[in-house]
Amino acid sequence: MASNLPVSAERLWADLMALAKVGGTPKGGNNRQTLTDLDGKGRHLLRGWCEAIGLTMTVDRIGNMVFRREGKDPSRKPIAIGSHIDTQPTGGKFDGPLGVLTGLEVLRAIHEAGVETDAPIVLINWTNEEGARFAPPMMGSGTALGFLDEAATMAATDAEGAVFGEELRRIGWQGKADPASTVDLEAYFEVHIEQGPTLERDGISIGLVTHALAQSWFDVTVTGEDAHAGSAMATRKDALVGASELIMAVERIAIGHPGEGGELGRGTVGTLTVMPASRNVVPGEVRFNVDHRHGDPKALAKMNDALFAEAAAIALKRGLKIEVTPFWESPLVPFDATLLEHLAKAAEARGHSARRMPTGIGHDAVYMARKVPSALIFVPCAGGISHNEAENITIDWARAGLEVLADAVLAAAGPRN
Ligand SMILES: [Zn+2]
């Protein structure tokens, strides 16, 4: 099925390096946070590249940019390629831009070869994927799809009190289109760096993402009793010692609940607040968060049950009160089997090794897959490092992602079977 569309990894690389100059940091990373002047500058650069190959731009009310190339069949909805150009404050050059600029290079190659597709093809740059300046992450896609409320998105504030909607207008990127029209698509593709070490370690060029892990997040409050550090051990109700037992249990629970096929869960405690936080006071209250993820929703439910059971047992044993409160949930999200098949065939035809794998990390494609047939393609990143100025990939990894994307997009935009 190889289309042999002559895409150029060298041109893609030149675009990546040119965009990385906008908000480049001394350590070789990028600080191009969403809705800053630098984000605006990056958007103008992208617009220029897209308009040079005849794409027409539409911007929606939350700043998502859509560049369109018409197809022959007016009844078809667009095949989309997307990602984001916003970065973390000490971000890298590839998390996000790789997905947008591989899409640009595919459309440029199609333009130059004069290929006419049946379905239109669009390139999307989502607003605020990172969530670093305005929370939550994946705001552009989440709002367009209706998972997030548009008014709440517009009213979101950053740490300095700047308002999302005002910043969007200030940098000149609020459009008039209904965000719902941005996601009225036949299919969606996204290329992204793995943000983990496995592809590089195993020498695999392409990760074909089969599903996003189901997630459950909890708030935990352990309440004991403040006491003098000179008080006897036997009478204490030490909230931190109880919390420590439960944190150790989180690791055990994740390892102890394999799903179908033996895949393990993931359990993380990423925050801890100790009160009153005085060196000579036995802590009376501790708060922390638990993040559970699993590729098997039944095993995830068992992990959640085990967390409640461990909390109750520790509370009883130590005379503490332990409250475990559900905070947020995300279902297991499968990616589209037909699109995965296009990608697998493309990888084989172009001679790139590929592996099917889940993602434990959120992406715009994970939101998209809940409403639009979607595919997520991983390429390796050096040492698995991302959200870091040292984030790096090779031009050959970029080439693999680009070629596989090109062939799969042409297959999807061709005649319907
Ligand atoms: Zn990203």
Side-chain angles (χ1 to χ4, degrees):
M1 186 211 65
S3 70
N4 293 320
L5 182 73
V7 284
S8 165
E10 286 70 24
R11 257 185 338 204
L12 163 61
W13 197 262
D15 291 347
L16 283 163
M17 294 309 121
L19 180 57
K21 287 209 177 84
V22 183
T25 61
K27 286 185 190 165
N30 263 210
N31 179 2
R32 197 173 47 248
Q33 293 180 69
T34 195
L35 309 191
T36 57
D37 291 342
L38 289 168
D39 182 19
K41 217 173 148 189
R43 287 166 178 258
H44 278 291
L45 190 58
L46 177 64
R47 176 186 188 168
W49 287 333
C50 288
E51 290 185 343
I53 54 168
L55 305 178
T56 53
M57 182 179 76
T58 307
V59 182
D60 70 22
R61 289 193 298 266
I62 45 178
N64 295 318
M65 301 161 72
V66 181
F67 298 97
R68 181 178 174 111
R69 184 175 200 275
E70 292 305 333
K72 286 184 287 186
D73 182 348
S75 74
R76 296 278 295 271
K77 290 181 184 179
I79 305 297
I81 310 166
S83 199
H84 59 97
I85 67 164
D86 72 311
T87 74
Q88 292 284 328
T90 51
K93 296 192 278 287
F94 305 99
D95 172 0
L98 181 69
V100 174
L101 298 178
T102 49
L104 170 67
E105 175 56 25
V106 168
L107 280 158
R108 189 156 44 202
I110 288 174
H111 173 75
E112 287 179 354
V115 175
E116 288 189 33
T117 56
D118 282 33
I121 301 177
V122 298
L123 176 64
I124 302 176
N125 172 37
W126 300 110
T127 299
N128 189 25
E129 190 276 344
E130 292 290 356
R133 186 178 173 206
F134 298 98
M138 299 171 285
M139 233 178 204
S141 55
T143 306
L145 289 159
F147 295 118
L148 302 172
D149 176 64
E150 188 177 336
T153 291
M154 296 309 273
T157 53
D158 71 5
E160 270 82 54
V163 180
F164 180 99
E166 288 167 15
E167 286 293 277
L168 182 59
R169 283 185 284 277
R170 186 185 66 77
I171 67 162
W173 283 97
Q174 181 171 46
K176 291 193 169 64
D178 183 348
S181 69
T182 302
V183 293
D184 189 16
L185 304 168
E186 188 176 303
Y188 175 79
F189 289 90
E190 182 165 352
V191 175
H192 207 283
I193 58 170
E194 181 193 359
Q195 300 181 279
T198 63
L199 292 175
E200 183 194 29
R201 184 193 64 204
D202 298 342
I204 307 273
S205 302
I206 293 287
L208 302 173
V209 182
T210 49
H211 60 281
L213 304 184
Q215 301 184 37
S216 300
W217 293 5
F218 300 92
D219 288 337
V220 180
T221 304
V222 181
T223 311
E225 222 166 61
D226 295 359
H228 197 287
S231 64
M233 297 303 288
T235 54
R236 293 183 182 191
K237 293 181 178 172
D238 187 328
L240 182 55
V241 177
S244 304
E245 272 200 60
L246 190 52
I247 291 165
M248 294 303 290
V250 167
E251 184 186 42
R252 212 167 51 239
I253 288 167
I255 296 166
H257 290 84
E260 269 182 59
E263 188 190 346
L264 299 183
R266 294 145 201 222
T268 305
V269 175
T271 65
L272 188 70
T273 309
V274 181
M275 286 167 286
S278 166
R279 71 165 69 217
N280 58 355
V281 178
V282 175
E285 186 173 314
V286 172
R287 293 183 191 169
F288 58 96
N289 308 125
V290 176
D291 175 321
H292 277 174
R293 302 180 186 216
H294 209 301
D296 177 344
K298 281 187 199 133
L300 180 70
K302 284 185 189 151
M303 281 174 63
N304 296 346
D305 290 346
L307 180 69
F308 283 101
E310 291 273 2
I314 294 163
L316 187 68
K317 185 173 74 180
R318 295 189 167 273
L320 302 166
K321 189 172 143 204
I322 305 184
E323 286 174 286
V324 180
T325 313
F327 174 75
W328 182 76
E329 293 215 328
S330 178
L332 183 128
V333 180
F335 286 96
D336 186 78
T338 305
L339 300 182
L340 268 172
E341 218 35 60
H342 288 324
L343 291 165
K345 280 185 194 155
E348 204 189 331
R350 295 266 194 173
H352 299 302
S353 54
R355 166 189 288 165
R356 291 176 189 250
M357 62 192 290
T359 175
I361 300 176
H363 292 288
D364 293 307
V366 176
Y367 260 150
M368 289 299 289
R370 291 169 70 175
K371 293 208 175 167
V372 173
S374 294
L376 178 59
I377 304 141
F378 281 161
V379 300
C381 62
I385 294 167
S386 75
H387 285 194
N388 187 316
E389 290 162 277
E391 184 181 282
N392 203 12
I393 68 171
T394 70
I395 191 168
D396 285 329
W397 294 340
R399 188 189 325 275
L402 173 63
E403 290 181 352
V404 169
L405 176 72
D407 291 0
V409 164
L410 282 181
R416 262 197 285 237
N417 311 326

